[in-house]
Amino acid sequence: MSAQERLTDSLYGLGWGVVKKLPEPVAVRLGRSIADLAWKKRGKGVLRLESNYARVVPDASPERLAELSRAGMRSYLRYWMESFRLPAWSKDRIKAGFDPKGLHHLTDGLAAGKGVILALPHMANWDLAGAWVTTKLETPFTTVAERLKPETLYDRFVAYREGLGMEVLPHSGGTAFGTLARRLRDGGLVCLVAERDLSSSGVEVRFFGEATRIPAGPALLAQQTGALLLPVTLWYDDSPVMQGRVHPPVEVPESGTRAEKTSVMAQALADAFATGIADHPEDWHMLQRLWLKDLEPRPSDGARP
């Protein structure tokens, strides 16, 4: 393990060990202070966030984009402060921490017993949404996590999410898809963050007017298992309660090849994500390159898991 990897692992360990013990108002102020400091430094993550927001709000002035990136960094650090503290939250605090609209799409789908896939972009705090599902709805689910370096950091995230009631599978290794399909055929729930392709098998879509790739997995799982595919978007308002929306199902086309069906479904998923992101751009935490014209062979920007 390199010195940089040891430092990264130690900082995350410090977050989970110390931040969760802070009074909530102190943690909120700390997160905002760190966000503002990072924003003022104008590092590559902030600049990339601003560049991505320029696609979402194409008529925004430089001043408006700067305001959005500052709000975006505050939202991003709110995610981290909440995530470090989630293991210490009571069940009542978790149940009261999320207020999703359109929940009947999920509960009706689960009641039908055919399995449900929830697909989300990197918005607000999907770990909190997941903890709410396992706590409020008392419904376990399976998800996939990117293998991070160092391996000890990946282990920390797996332990954290398993502690919230999730089954976590590694993104790499080739066995995740089969396990997800089995869970869905058994009538289970699968949750996937799905607007950034981490493989070479993504599906090209139009996203805010430009080409990018998103994972094929959600659409392929729905076709193969008959599970319901539901887009979900999340956002923060001025309250301590995160907001969200479960969008109507993405239907499997009645005709076409598997590739054609996957393309249509992926575009529908991207369109649902775009609707939520356009309404709440500051809560979309995309600090990495996303659009194809921005992607060039170069060292990784890093990723939020």
Side-chain angles (χ1 to χ4, degrees):
M1 185 189 303
S2 69
Q4 180 62 45
E5 288 175 341
R6 283 195 298 271
L7 176 62
T8 300
D9 182 61
S10 297
L11 289 174
Y12 279 103
L14 184 66
W16 272 301
V18 175
V19 174
K20 72 178 181 182
K21 298 177 182 178
L22 296 175
E24 189 156 342
V26 175
V28 170
R29 289 197 298 272
L30 176 62
R32 179 161 290 199
S33 297
I34 294 172
D36 288 350
L37 180 62
W39 179 77
K40 288 176 183 177
K41 286 188 173 182
R42 307 288 289 167
K44 66 178 182 179
V46 172
L47 295 177
R48 177 54 52 189
L49 182 68
E50 213 163 276
S51 174
N52 289 339
Y53 286 160
R55 262 66 174 247
V56 177
V57 190
D59 58 347
S61 65
E63 293 77 16
R64 172 60 178 149
L65 287 175
E67 290 174 1
L68 272 177
S69 66
R70 184 176 188 178
M73 290 303 295
R74 288 181 170 184
S75 177
Y76 185 48
L77 264 295
R78 176 173 171 175
Y79 159 79
W80 280 114
M81 293 298 109
E82 286 181 348
S83 294
F84 287 143
R85 292 174 51 76
L86 261 178
W89 281 16
S90 68
K91 289 186 177 181
D92 287 342
R93 176 70 177 85
I94 291 172
K95 290 177 182 177
F98 183 38
D99 182 24
K101 313 302 186 289
L103 186 61
H104 65 280
H105 293 303
L106 171 58
T107 53
D108 290 352
L110 291 172
K114 293 185 177 180
V116 176
I117 306 157
L118 296 180
L120 307 86
H122 288 78
M123 293 188 76
N125 190 340
W126 53 91
D127 287 322
L128 172 55
W132 186 90
V133 167
T134 61
T135 304
K136 177 75 172 181
L137 300 186
E138 298 182 340
T139 302
F141 66 86
T142 304
T143 188
V144 175
E146 178 186 1
R147 277 202 176 277
L148 303 173
K149 290 183 179 180
E151 190 75 14
T152 51
L153 180 57
Y154 171 77
D155 292 340
R156 285 187 190 275
F157 273 98
V158 170
Y160 159 61
R161 287 172 174 148
E162 287 180 343
L164 298 175
M166 312 175 193
E167 179 188 21
V168 183
L169 307 176
H171 181 270
S172 59
T175 61
F177 188 91
T179 303
L180 295 174
R182 287 194 296 274
R183 299 291 182 269
L184 292 168
R185 291 193 183 97
D186 290 339
L189 177 63
V190 163
C191 299
L192 301 170
V193 180
E195 96 283 28
R196 183 169 180 260
D197 180 46
L198 294 174
S199 71
S200 58
S201 59
V203 182
E204 187 169 322
V205 296
R206 301 294 293 179
F207 195 55
F208 291 102
E210 293 188 35
T212 187
R213 284 189 295 267
I214 69 171
L220 290 173
L221 284 167
Q223 292 176 59
Q224 188 164 314
T225 67
L228 198 65
L229 176 54
L230 299 174
V232 178
T233 52
L234 309 170
W235 67 93
Y236 292 124
D237 57 16
D238 294 330
S239 78
V241 180
M242 184 175 70
Q243 306 299 311
R245 183 175 309 283
V246 183
H247 296 255
V250 171
E251 303 289 348
V252 178
E254 294 183 359
S255 61
T257 64
R258 185 172 72 166
E260 289 168 344
K261 291 179 180 180
T262 301
S263 178
V264 170
M265 295 173 72
Q267 186 62 61
L269 201 58
D271 290 345
F273 292 164
T275 297
I277 292 168
D279 288 341
H280 306 280
E282 68 278 4
D283 293 313
W284 185 43
H285 308 153
M286 185 50 63
L287 281 72
Q288 296 83 33
R289 295 175 177 85
L290 183 74
W291 281 273
L292 297 186
K293 65 170 53 177
D294 293 336
L295 294 173
E296 300 175 4
R298 63 184 68 191
S300 171
D301 286 323
R304 170 179 162 187

